Amino acid sequence: MINITKIHYFPGRGRAESTRWMLAINQIEFENIPIKTPEMLSTLRATGKLPFDQMPLLEINGMCLSQSSAMVRYLARLGGYYGDNNQDELWCDMIAGAVADFAETAMQAAFQASKTLAVKSLQERFKKFGPLFENRLEDNGLCLCTGKNLTFADILLAESLNSYLEWIPDILNDTPLLNTLYNKVVNIKGISLYLNSPQRYPMPDSNYVIDVARVLQRALPSHMLDSNRFIQDSNN
Ligand SMILES: N[C@@H](CCC(=O)N[C@@H](CS)C(=O)NCC(=O)O)C(=O)O
């Protein structure tokens, strides 16, 4: 029996997106299982498939994987995207950590009170990290994060830049190496097929913010109308 690879997550990119890019580079077909309601999340929880009771969940090769950073690394090992030696692995891990910090600002952008505030936060974050990533590419050479071959660090970096570019299209104007790396990655066959496929969710907007709050039964950001609409009233 062939196990279909599945990602269970809100109907959007969020913390599942880096795993989707890693599946794409490995050309592993997958199905998005969108969790759209609290009931769907309860049903998923009741299956016992969530090792730490959190999404995303990646079902692959008969396993249920939790923690997006572990999923990314599993897929990196599977496809040979973890560098060629210890030093590459170390750089991959360091860059993946820095990219996680950098990408968090992009993940929070749709939750901001206005586009102006979102763009401002992204510009500030890029001002800190952009030149450092650019220096790293220059130091390593070949427009790669580490070593002589593409690694998951390059994929994660390109994925985070993709989000920054959606908000600020000219953000890579002064970082030519980052721009080259980005274009190289998005034009790799598996990635480009994924980005142009129906599996790819659109840029997160207020609908995504509402989906997340509804599923988790959490408050919406305070600037949104009726921000407590998904909070259960304990008196009822
Ligand atoms: N470090 C984890 C974070 C997982 C996480 O925070 N998941 C959230 C949704 S994005 C969740 O399931 N929250 C519900 C809960 O923790 O009960 C990862 O990257 O996979």
Side-chain angles (χ1 to χ4, degrees):
M1 192 184 96
I2 299 171
N3 285 323
I4 299 170
T5 299
K6 294 180 187 160
I7 299 192
H8 304 251
Y9 197 62
F10 309 111
R13 298 182 194 169
R15 298 193 191 284
E17 193 58 14
S18 51
T19 297
R20 295 190 185 105
W21 282 54
M22 287 305 297
L23 289 166
I25 190 83
N26 280 292
Q27 298 202 40
I28 297 172
E29 283 183 27
F30 65 92
E31 198 181 326
N32 282 317
I33 311 289
I35 304 299
K36 297 178 180 171
T37 63
E39 294 75 24
M40 290 175 85
L41 180 56
S42 298
T43 305
L44 178 60
R45 283 183 158 143
T47 62
K49 286 183 176 180
L50 302 180
F52 299 107
D53 203 38
Q54 289 180 313
M55 297 189 293
L57 162 69
L58 173 64
E59 287 193 77
I60 187 165
N61 296 334
M63 298 180 291
C64 290
L65 304 190
S66 177
Q67 292 294 333
S68 47
S69 61
M71 298 169 195
V72 163
R73 282 164 175 79
Y74 171 72
L75 293 165
R77 288 189 196 95
L78 212 59
Y81 296 108
Y82 218 137
D84 296 322
N85 52 46
N86 251 335
Q87 196 175 340
D88 284 350
E89 287 178 15
L90 189 57
W91 270 114
C92 282
D93 287 340
M94 283 200 286
I95 292 164
V99 169
D101 296 341
F102 176 66
E104 189 62 32
T105 310
M107 230 173 288
Q108 296 307 323
F111 294 76
Q112 300 279 350
S114 68
K115 184 176 178 193
T116 310
L117 283 175
V119 166
K120 190 164 174 280
S121 65
L122 289 163
Q123 275 167 334
E124 277 168 13
R125 205 60 169 158
F126 189 85
K127 208 165 143 195
K128 174 185 171 73
F129 278 107
L132 300 174
F133 289 136
E134 181 81 356
N135 288 349
R136 176 61 208 156
L137 295 181
E138 187 167 8
D139 286 351
N140 185 67
L142 304 171
C143 238
L144 292 169
C145 283
T146 186
K148 294 184 170 49
N149 296 299
L150 193 81
T151 61
F152 78 93
D154 300 307
I155 307 295
L156 296 185
L157 183 52
E159 193 256 311
S160 63
L161 292 173
N162 177 265
S163 298
Y164 274 75
L165 282 163
E166 282 177 327
W167 288 92
I168 311 169
D170 62 359
I171 196 140
L172 298 183
N173 279 7
D174 297 326
T175 49
L177 300 179
L178 276 179
N179 191 42
T180 303
L181 171 76
Y182 173 74
N183 284 299
K184 182 158 62 183
V185 172
V186 294
N187 285 304
I188 296 170
K189 190 174 163 207
I191 300 283
S192 135
L193 281 172
Y194 163 61
L195 293 179
N196 293 297
S197 76
Q199 305 283 76
R200 167 75 163 168
Y201 284 108
M203 182 178 174
D205 59 10
S206 55
N207 290 322
Y208 177 69
V209 174
I210 291 168
D211 282 336
V212 172
R214 186 179 56 247
V215 172
L216 297 179
Q217 297 184 286
R218 282 192 181 160
L220 289 159
S222 55
H223 66 274
M224 291 180 88
L225 211 62
D226 190 12
S227 61
N228 284 329
R229 75 182 94 151
F230 299 119
I231 306 282
Q232 301 273 340
D233 186 348
S234 54
N235 294 323
N236 287 339

PDB file of all heavy atoms in Angstrom, residues 9-10 14-16 41 45 50 52-56 66-71 107 208 212 216 218, ligand 1:
ATOM      1  N   TYR A   9      -2.933  20.951   8.837  1.00  0.00           N
ATOM      2  CA  TYR A   9      -2.647  22.301   9.361  1.00  0.00           C
ATOM      3  C   TYR A   9      -3.837  23.203   9.053  1.00  0.00           C
ATOM      4  O   TYR A   9      -4.745  22.806   8.320  1.00  0.00           O
ATOM      5  CB  TYR A   9      -1.362  22.840   8.694  1.00  0.00           C
ATOM      6  CG  TYR A   9      -0.756  24.019   9.424  1.00  0.00           C
ATOM      7  CD1 TYR A   9      -0.302  23.886  10.734  1.00  0.00           C
ATOM      8  CD2 TYR A   9      -0.659  25.271   8.816  1.00  0.00           C
ATOM      9  CE1 TYR A   9       0.242  24.968  11.414  1.00  0.00           C
ATOM     10  CE2 TYR A   9      -0.114  26.358   9.489  1.00  0.00           C
ATOM     11  CZ  TYR A   9       0.339  26.194  10.791  1.00  0.00           C
ATOM     12  OH  TYR A   9       0.872  27.266  11.475  1.00  0.00           O
ATOM     13  N   PHE A  10      -3.822  24.409   9.605  1.00  0.00           N
ATOM     14  CA  PHE A  10      -4.830  25.397   9.217  1.00  0.00           C
ATOM     15  C   PHE A  10      -4.778  25.543   7.687  1.00  0.00           C
ATOM     16  O   PHE A  10      -3.745  25.230   7.071  1.00  0.00           O
ATOM     17  CB  PHE A  10      -4.496  26.788   9.814  1.00  0.00           C
ATOM     18  CG  PHE A  10      -4.231  26.780  11.283  1.00  0.00           C
ATOM     19  CD1 PHE A  10      -2.948  27.020  11.777  1.00  0.00           C
ATOM     20  CD2 PHE A  10      -5.252  26.532  12.187  1.00  0.00           C
ATOM     21  CE1 PHE A  10      -2.691  27.030  13.136  1.00  0.00           C
ATOM     22  CE2 PHE A  10      -5.002  26.534  13.553  1.00  0.00           C
ATOM     23  CZ  PHE A  10      -3.726  26.780  14.024  1.00  0.00           C
ATOM     24  N   GLY A  14       1.734  29.426   7.282  1.00  0.00           N
ATOM     25  CA  GLY A  14       2.155  29.344   8.682  1.00  0.00           C
ATOM     26  C   GLY A  14       3.372  28.457   8.909  1.00  0.00           C
ATOM     27  O   GLY A  14       4.336  28.470   8.127  1.00  0.00           O
ATOM     28  N   ARG A  15       3.302  27.686   9.988  1.00  0.00           N
ATOM     29  CA  ARG A  15       4.458  26.858  10.381  1.00  0.00           C
ATOM     30  C   ARG A  15       4.585  25.588   9.548  1.00  0.00           C
ATOM     31  O   ARG A  15       5.503  24.803   9.760  1.00  0.00           O
ATOM     32  CB  ARG A  15       4.384  26.519  11.866  1.00  0.00           C
ATOM     33  CG  ARG A  15       4.443  27.743  12.726  1.00  0.00           C
ATOM     34  CD  ARG A  15       4.676  27.512  14.182  1.00  0.00           C
ATOM     35  NE  ARG A  15       4.441  28.766  14.903  1.00  0.00           N
ATOM     36  CZ  ARG A  15       5.289  29.790  14.929  1.00  0.00           C
ATOM     37  NH1 ARG A  15       6.450  29.699  14.329  1.00  0.00           N
ATOM     38  NH2 ARG A  15       4.986  30.903  15.571  1.00  0.00           N
ATOM     39  N   ALA A  16       3.645  25.377   8.629  1.00  0.00           N
ATOM     40  CA  ALA A  16       3.750  24.197   7.765  1.00  0.00           C
ATOM     41  C   ALA A  16       4.506  24.505   6.469  1.00  0.00           C
ATOM     42  O   ALA A  16       4.895  23.581   5.745  1.00  0.00           O
ATOM     43  CB  ALA A  16       2.345  23.689   7.418  1.00  0.00           C
ATOM     44  N   LEU A  41     -10.126  19.888  14.653  1.00  0.00           N
ATOM     45  CA  LEU A  41      -8.906  19.761  15.468  1.00  0.00           C
ATOM     46  C   LEU A  41      -9.122  18.724  16.577  1.00  0.00           C
ATOM     47  O   LEU A  41      -8.231  17.899  16.838  1.00  0.00           O
ATOM     48  CB  LEU A  41      -8.513  21.126  16.051  1.00  0.00           C
ATOM     49  CG  LEU A  41      -7.265  21.132  16.927  1.00  0.00           C
ATOM     50  CD1 LEU A  41      -6.045  20.574  16.176  1.00  0.00           C
ATOM     51  CD2 LEU A  41      -6.941  22.544  17.440  1.00  0.00           C
ATOM     52  N   ARG A  45      -6.952  15.469  17.153  1.00  0.00           N
ATOM     53  CA  ARG A  45      -6.315  15.191  18.462  1.00  0.00           C
ATOM     54  C   ARG A  45      -6.694  13.790  18.952  1.00  0.00           C
ATOM     55  O   ARG A  45      -5.859  13.062  19.476  1.00  0.00           O
ATOM     56  CB  ARG A  45      -6.742  16.239  19.490  1.00  0.00           C
ATOM     57  CG  ARG A  45      -5.998  17.556  19.294  1.00  0.00           C
ATOM     58  CD  ARG A  45      -6.351  18.583  20.352  1.00  0.00           C
ATOM     59  NE  ARG A  45      -5.286  19.584  20.436  1.00  0.00           N
ATOM     60  CZ  ARG A  45      -5.491  20.875  20.655  1.00  0.00           C
ATOM     61  NH1 ARG A  45      -6.707  21.347  20.834  1.00  0.00           N
ATOM     62  NH2 ARG A  45      -4.463  21.698  20.710  1.00  0.00           N
ATOM     63  N   LEU A  50      -0.930  13.268  17.077  1.00  0.00           N
ATOM     64  CA  LEU A  50      -0.130  14.478  17.360  1.00  0.00           C
ATOM     65  C   LEU A  50       0.771  14.208  18.559  1.00  0.00           C
ATOM     66  O   LEU A  50       0.310  14.277  19.703  1.00  0.00           O
ATOM     67  CB  LEU A  50      -1.051  15.673  17.660  1.00  0.00           C
ATOM     68  CG  LEU A  50      -2.058  16.078  16.585  1.00  0.00           C
ATOM     69  CD1 LEU A  50      -2.881  17.281  17.062  1.00  0.00           C
ATOM     70  CD2 LEU A  50      -1.368  16.409  15.278  1.00  0.00           C
ATOM     71  N   PHE A  52       2.875  15.874  20.195  1.00  0.00           N
ATOM     72  CA  PHE A  52       2.936  16.935  21.205  1.00  0.00           C
ATOM     73  C   PHE A  52       1.683  17.804  21.177  1.00  0.00           C
ATOM     74  O   PHE A  52       1.713  18.966  21.573  1.00  0.00           O
ATOM     75  CB  PHE A  52       4.218  17.759  21.037  1.00  0.00           C
ATOM     76  CG  PHE A  52       5.452  16.915  21.212  1.00  0.00           C
ATOM     77  CD1 PHE A  52       6.234  16.566  20.123  1.00  0.00           C
ATOM     78  CD2 PHE A  52       5.789  16.413  22.462  1.00  0.00           C
ATOM     79  CE1 PHE A  52       7.342  15.752  20.281  1.00  0.00           C
ATOM     80  CE2 PHE A  52       6.896  15.599  22.620  1.00  0.00           C
ATOM     81  CZ  PHE A  52       7.672  15.264  21.530  1.00  0.00           C
ATOM     82  N   ASP A  53       0.604  17.189  20.648  1.00  0.00           N
ATOM     83  CA  ASP A  53      -0.703  17.848  20.668  1.00  0.00           C
ATOM     84  C   ASP A  53      -0.717  19.163  19.893  1.00  0.00           C
ATOM     85  O   ASP A  53      -1.487  20.067  20.209  1.00  0.00           O
ATOM     86  CB  ASP A  53      -1.135  18.081  22.143  1.00  0.00           C
ATOM     87  CG  ASP A  53      -2.642  18.223  22.250  1.00  0.00           C
ATOM     88  OD1 ASP A  53      -3.359  17.507  21.524  1.00  0.00           O
ATOM     89  OD2 ASP A  53      -3.092  19.067  23.034  1.00  0.00           O
ATOM     90  N   GLN A  54       0.164  19.283  18.906  1.00  0.00           N
ATOM     91  CA  GLN A  54       0.233  20.523  18.121  1.00  0.00           C
ATOM     92  C   GLN A  54       0.269  20.211  16.634  1.00  0.00           C
ATOM     93  O   GLN A  54       0.696  19.127  16.223  1.00  0.00           O
ATOM     94  CB  GLN A  54       1.521  21.287  18.464  1.00  0.00           C
ATOM     95  CG  GLN A  54       1.529  21.920  19.838  1.00  0.00           C
ATOM     96  CD  GLN A  54       2.820  22.656  20.093  1.00  0.00           C
ATOM     97  OE1 GLN A  54       3.904  22.125  19.833  1.00  0.00           O
ATOM     98  NE2 GLN A  54       2.737  23.852  20.607  1.00  0.00           N
ATOM     99  N   MET A  55      -0.148  21.190  15.841  1.00  0.00           N
ATOM    100  CA  MET A  55       0.038  21.126  14.388  1.00  0.00           C
ATOM    101  C   MET A  55       1.226  22.031  14.042  1.00  0.00           C
ATOM    102  O   MET A  55       1.522  22.938  14.813  1.00  0.00           O
ATOM    103  CB  MET A  55      -1.202  21.651  13.671  1.00  0.00           C
ATOM    104  CG  MET A  55      -2.446  20.835  13.921  1.00  0.00           C
ATOM    105  SD  MET A  55      -3.784  21.379  12.836  1.00  0.00           S
ATOM    106  CE  MET A  55      -4.145  23.031  13.424  1.00  0.00           C
ATOM    107  N   PRO A  56       1.858  21.860  12.890  1.00  0.00           N
ATOM    108  CA  PRO A  56       1.510  20.918  11.839  1.00  0.00           C
ATOM    109  C   PRO A  56       1.838  19.474  12.213  1.00  0.00           C
ATOM    110  O   PRO A  56       2.707  19.209  13.037  1.00  0.00           O
ATOM    111  CB  PRO A  56       2.369  21.379  10.653  1.00  0.00           C
ATOM    112  CG  PRO A  56       3.521  22.107  11.250  1.00  0.00           C
ATOM    113  CD  PRO A  56       2.996  22.734  12.506  1.00  0.00           C
ATOM    114  N   SER A  66       5.998  15.564  14.244  1.00  0.00           N
ATOM    115  CA  SER A  66       5.651  16.839  14.860  1.00  0.00           C
ATOM    116  C   SER A  66       6.890  17.736  14.800  1.00  0.00           C
ATOM    117  O   SER A  66       7.986  17.249  14.552  1.00  0.00           O
ATOM    118  CB  SER A  66       5.279  16.573  16.317  1.00  0.00           C
ATOM    119  OG  SER A  66       5.009  17.755  16.991  1.00  0.00           O
ATOM    120  N   GLN A  67       6.709  19.028  15.061  1.00  0.00           N
ATOM    121  CA  GLN A  67       7.788  20.023  15.091  1.00  0.00           C
ATOM    122  C   GLN A  67       8.351  20.278  13.682  1.00  0.00           C
ATOM    123  O   GLN A  67       9.079  19.445  13.119  1.00  0.00           O
ATOM    124  CB  GLN A  67       8.917  19.621  16.048  1.00  0.00           C
ATOM    125  CG  GLN A  67       8.491  19.653  17.505  1.00  0.00           C
ATOM    126  CD  GLN A  67       8.171  21.066  18.001  1.00  0.00           C
ATOM    127  OE1 GLN A  67       8.701  22.051  17.498  1.00  0.00           O
ATOM    128  NE2 GLN A  67       7.284  21.172  18.975  1.00  0.00           N
ATOM    129  N   SER A  68       8.015  21.425  13.149  1.00  0.00           N
ATOM    130  CA  SER A  68       8.403  21.722  11.765  1.00  0.00           C
ATOM    131  C   SER A  68       9.924  21.657  11.559  1.00  0.00           C
ATOM    132  O   SER A  68      10.380  21.233  10.495  1.00  0.00           O
ATOM    133  CB  SER A  68       7.840  23.069  11.330  1.00  0.00           C
ATOM    134  OG  SER A  68       8.074  24.044  12.305  1.00  0.00           O
ATOM    135  N   SER A  69      10.708  22.044  12.571  1.00  0.00           N
ATOM    136  CA  SER A  69      12.168  22.000  12.356  1.00  0.00           C
ATOM    137  C   SER A  69      12.651  20.552  12.200  1.00  0.00           C
ATOM    138  O   SER A  69      13.581  20.274  11.433  1.00  0.00           O
ATOM    139  CB  SER A  69      12.905  22.696  13.498  1.00  0.00           C
ATOM    140  OG  SER A  69      12.627  22.043  14.712  1.00  0.00           O
ATOM    141  N   ALA A  70      11.990  19.612  12.899  1.00  0.00           N
ATOM    142  CA  ALA A  70      12.364  18.197  12.750  1.00  0.00           C
ATOM    143  C   ALA A  70      11.930  17.670  11.381  1.00  0.00           C
ATOM    144  O   ALA A  70      12.658  16.895  10.741  1.00  0.00           O
ATOM    145  CB  ALA A  70      11.730  17.374  13.869  1.00  0.00           C
ATOM    146  N   MET A  71      10.758  18.112  10.930  1.00  0.00           N
ATOM    147  CA  MET A  71      10.273  17.681   9.601  1.00  0.00           C
ATOM    148  C   MET A  71      11.244  18.139   8.511  1.00  0.00           C
ATOM    149  O   MET A  71      11.604  17.372   7.614  1.00  0.00           O
ATOM    150  CB  MET A  71       8.896  18.306   9.302  1.00  0.00           C
ATOM    151  CG  MET A  71       7.820  17.900  10.258  1.00  0.00           C
ATOM    152  SD  MET A  71       6.346  18.939  10.021  1.00  0.00           S
ATOM    153  CE  MET A  71       5.469  18.536  11.532  1.00  0.00           C
ATOM    154  N   MET A 107       5.741  35.801   9.554  1.00  0.00           N
ATOM    155  CA  MET A 107       4.589  34.991   9.959  1.00  0.00           C
ATOM    156  C   MET A 107       3.589  35.833  10.751  1.00  0.00           C
ATOM    157  O   MET A 107       2.397  35.597  10.710  1.00  0.00           O
ATOM    158  CB  MET A 107       5.070  33.801  10.785  1.00  0.00           C
ATOM    159  CG  MET A 107       4.476  32.514  10.273  1.00  0.00           C
ATOM    160  SD  MET A 107       5.147  31.071  11.063  1.00  0.00           S
ATOM    161  CE  MET A 107       6.765  30.931  10.447  1.00  0.00           C
ATOM    162  N   TYR A 208      -7.032  34.273   7.027  1.00  0.00           N
ATOM    163  CA  TYR A 208      -6.165  33.277   7.670  1.00  0.00           C
ATOM    164  C   TYR A 208      -6.119  33.521   9.185  1.00  0.00           C
ATOM    165  O   TYR A 208      -6.219  32.580   9.990  1.00  0.00           O
ATOM    166  CB  TYR A 208      -4.752  33.338   7.059  1.00  0.00           C
ATOM    167  CG  TYR A 208      -3.786  32.392   7.736  1.00  0.00           C
ATOM    168  CD1 TYR A 208      -3.928  31.017   7.602  1.00  0.00           C
ATOM    169  CD2 TYR A 208      -2.759  32.874   8.547  1.00  0.00           C
ATOM    170  CE1 TYR A 208      -3.065  30.145   8.247  1.00  0.00           C
ATOM    171  CE2 TYR A 208      -1.899  32.014   9.196  1.00  0.00           C
ATOM    172  CZ  TYR A 208      -2.047  30.647   9.041  1.00  0.00           C
ATOM    173  OH  TYR A 208      -1.196  29.781   9.687  1.00  0.00           O
ATOM    174  N   VAL A 212      -7.287  30.756  12.060  1.00  0.00           N
ATOM    175  CA  VAL A 212      -6.442  30.297  13.172  1.00  0.00           C
ATOM    176  C   VAL A 212      -7.165  30.503  14.505  1.00  0.00           C
ATOM    177  O   VAL A 212      -7.244  29.590  15.344  1.00  0.00           O
ATOM    178  CB  VAL A 212      -5.077  31.036  13.168  1.00  0.00           C
ATOM    179  CG1 VAL A 212      -4.278  30.710  14.427  1.00  0.00           C
ATOM    180  CG2 VAL A 212      -4.275  30.685  11.918  1.00  0.00           C
ATOM    181  N   LEU A 216      -8.434  27.429  16.991  1.00  0.00           N
ATOM    182  CA  LEU A 216      -7.839  27.324  18.337  1.00  0.00           C
ATOM    183  C   LEU A 216      -8.732  27.937  19.411  1.00  0.00           C
ATOM    184  O   LEU A 216      -8.383  27.897  20.591  1.00  0.00           O
ATOM    185  CB  LEU A 216      -6.460  27.987  18.366  1.00  0.00           C
ATOM    186  CG  LEU A 216      -5.386  27.359  17.469  1.00  0.00           C
ATOM    187  CD1 LEU A 216      -4.078  28.129  17.586  1.00  0.00           C
ATOM    188  CD2 LEU A 216      -5.167  25.895  17.796  1.00  0.00           C
ATOM    189  N   ARG A 218      -9.331  31.040  20.033  1.00  0.00           N
ATOM    190  CA  ARG A 218      -8.544  32.088  20.683  1.00  0.00           C
ATOM    191  C   ARG A 218      -9.091  33.447  20.307  1.00  0.00           C
ATOM    192  O   ARG A 218      -9.813  33.580  19.315  1.00  0.00           O
ATOM    193  CB  ARG A 218      -7.098  32.020  20.174  1.00  0.00           C
ATOM    194  CG  ARG A 218      -6.338  30.915  20.815  1.00  0.00           C
ATOM    195  CD  ARG A 218      -4.877  31.062  20.524  1.00  0.00           C
ATOM    196  NE  ARG A 218      -4.163  29.954  21.137  1.00  0.00           N
ATOM    197  CZ  ARG A 218      -2.963  29.568  20.790  1.00  0.00           C
ATOM    198  NH1 ARG A 218      -2.319  30.184  19.832  1.00  0.00           N
ATOM    199  NH2 ARG A 218      -2.378  28.553  21.405  1.00  0.00           N
TER     200      ARG A 218
HETATM  201  N1  LIG B   1       7.536  24.540  17.282  1.00  0.00           N
HETATM  202  C1  LIG B   1       6.315  24.006  16.731  1.00  0.00           C
HETATM  203  C2  LIG B   1       5.169  24.961  17.000  1.00  0.00           C
HETATM  204  C3  LIG B   1       3.848  24.296  16.861  1.00  0.00           C
HETATM  205  C4  LIG B   1       2.703  25.201  17.215  1.00  0.00           C
HETATM  206  O1  LIG B   1       2.855  26.178  17.968  1.00  0.00           O
HETATM  207  N2  LIG B   1       1.548  24.878  16.672  1.00  0.00           N
HETATM  208  C5  LIG B   1       0.356  25.626  16.957  1.00  0.00           C
HETATM  209  C6  LIG B   1      -0.316  26.035  15.660  1.00  0.00           C
HETATM  210  S1  LIG B   1       0.765  27.005  14.655  1.00  0.00           S
HETATM  211  C7  LIG B   1      -0.598  24.730  17.710  1.00  0.00           C
HETATM  212  O2  LIG B   1      -0.799  23.581  17.367  1.00  0.00           O
HETATM  213  N3  LIG B   1      -1.184  25.293  18.767  1.00  0.00           N
HETATM  214  C8  LIG B   1      -2.143  24.594  19.570  1.00  0.00           C
HETATM  215  C9  LIG B   1      -1.568  24.135  20.861  1.00  0.00           C
HETATM  216  O3  LIG B   1      -0.387  24.329  21.125  1.00  0.00           O
HETATM  217  O4  LIG B   1      -2.355  23.590  21.642  1.00  0.00           O
HETATM  218  C10 LIG B   1       6.493  23.777  15.222  1.00  0.00           C
HETATM  219  O5  LIG B   1       7.199  24.544  14.586  1.00  0.00           O
HETATM  220  O6  LIG B   1       5.940  22.798  14.700  1.00  0.00           O
END
